[in-house]
Amino acid sequence: MSGIFITFEGGEGSGKTTIAAMIKEHLTREGYQVTLTREPGGVEIAEKIRDIIHNVDYTNMDCKTEALLYAASRRQHLVEKVIPALESGHIVICDRYLDSSMVYQGIARGIGVDEVYQMNLFATENILPKRTIFFDILPEDGLKRVYANKDREVNRLDLENIDFHRKVYNGYLSLCDKFPDRIVKIDASLTIDQVFSQVLSKIKEIL
Ligand code: TYD
């Protein structure tokens, strides 16, 4: 595959979705072909799975069911959208990928990182991003942004308590140590322009 696969990761309110749109616009203006997409979702079947996972009424969903649904949604999105875009030479920027599952389901829900990783290797056939950017912001500060933005959809995971979000945050830090060649950290507590420049320079290093 001639394209470059990049993923953005971080807790709630880390700004990755806003920055992803800015990066796409910037790289497109420079002449790159860019596909911007997100998980869970990005294609119809995966969006339907997303609706089930994020339904705030399904408080009784088992954590392994949740992990399997994320992996199912990931596979469909990968096969239908990410792989074809990579094959046609695009830079693919995906807002969340398997690190989200390792952290949210593996660590915060307590299934185990290695179990979730193995399950996801089956779902993704070992297709890993060339670079993953972790948007580093304390969970308290990220959640403040989420609640300040009234237009944002609130999902079942946003409703978890602060301990859950701290586990997510610490989980990401541990993944940074586990995959130092793939995951790079940027300071997401700064202004949008500052975050944008850090992310752009981390992407430029691999183009
Ligand atoms: P979304 O509304 O897309 O928010 P964000 O802008 O924070 O990405 O919601 C995605 C939610 O799904 C988020 O709470 C993290 C969660 N998630 C998992 O728990 N596991 C996963 O594998 C993925 C992809 C997402």
Side-chain angles (χ1 to χ4, degrees):
M1 288 188 280
S2 55
I4 298 177
F5 187 24
I6 298 167
T7 59
F8 285 7
E9 293 283 352
E12 314 303 319
S14 60
K16 56 191 174 39
T17 310
T18 307
I19 301 293
M22 291 168 70
I23 293 284
K24 178 184 172 168
E25 199 193 312
H26 183 91
L27 293 177
T28 305
R29 253 191 281 119
E30 287 192 345
Y32 293 98
Q33 290 188 293
V34 184
T35 293
L36 172 59
T37 188
R38 69 157 185 185
E39 278 202 5
V43 293
E44 193 182 344
I45 295 172
E47 290 287 342
K48 294 271 192 241
I49 300 173
R50 177 192 177 93
D51 292 343
I52 299 172
I53 312 174
H54 287 176
N55 189 323
V56 286
D57 295 332
Y58 296 164
T59 48
N60 59 336
M61 187 182 288
D62 172 77
C63 60
K64 288 187 179 166
T65 306
E66 182 181 281
L68 287 160
L69 286 173
Y70 277 118
S73 142
R74 174 160 306 126
R75 166 130 197 107
Q76 189 64 31
H77 174 246
L78 185 73
V79 169
E80 244 189 90
K81 190 163 184 183
V82 176
I83 293 175
L86 290 172
E87 281 174 346
S88 61
H90 282 216
I91 298 173
V92 177
I93 300 174
C94 189
D95 188 349
R96 297 193 181 280
Y97 192 58
L98 92 180
D99 297 303
S100 284
S101 285
M102 284 198 275
V103 167
Y104 283 79
Q105 283 66 53
I107 298 173
R109 294 275 193 235
I111 298 175
V113 183
D114 292 331
E115 284 79 354
V116 173
Y117 190 52
Q118 289 310 321
M119 193 183 80
N120 273 279
L121 289 182
F122 169 74
T124 59
E125 293 172 84
N126 297 358
I127 296 179
L128 288 172
K130 179 156 186 197
R131 174 146 290 182
T132 296
I133 296 173
F134 167 52
F135 286 64
D136 184 359
I137 184 169
L138 288 172
E140 292 79 0
D141 296 342
L143 287 169
K144 261 187 231 153
R145 290 182 180 169
V146 170
Y147 290 115
N149 175 2
K150 296 196 178 45
D151 295 334
R152 188 182 178 283
E153 163 204 0
V154 172
N155 69 49
R156 209 159 49 77
L157 287 100
D158 294 337
L159 302 176
E160 290 292 338
N161 63 29
I162 186 70
D163 284 348
F164 180 87
H165 295 290
R166 286 198 187 111
K167 282 186 198 158
V168 166
Y169 180 67
N170 290 324
Y172 274 124
L173 294 181
S174 69
L175 286 193
C176 290
D177 292 337
K178 200 173 159 104
F179 301 104
D181 298 334
R182 176 170 64 82
I183 308 182
V184 295
K185 195 163 66 170
I186 57 100
D187 182 350
S189 69
L190 303 175
T191 65
I192 289 189
D193 287 346
Q194 288 167 320
V195 176
F196 171 78
S197 344
Q198 293 176 76
V199 174
L200 186 63
S201 76
K202 298 290 181 200
I203 290 177
K204 286 284 169 117
E205 283 172 10
I206 57 159
L207 293 187

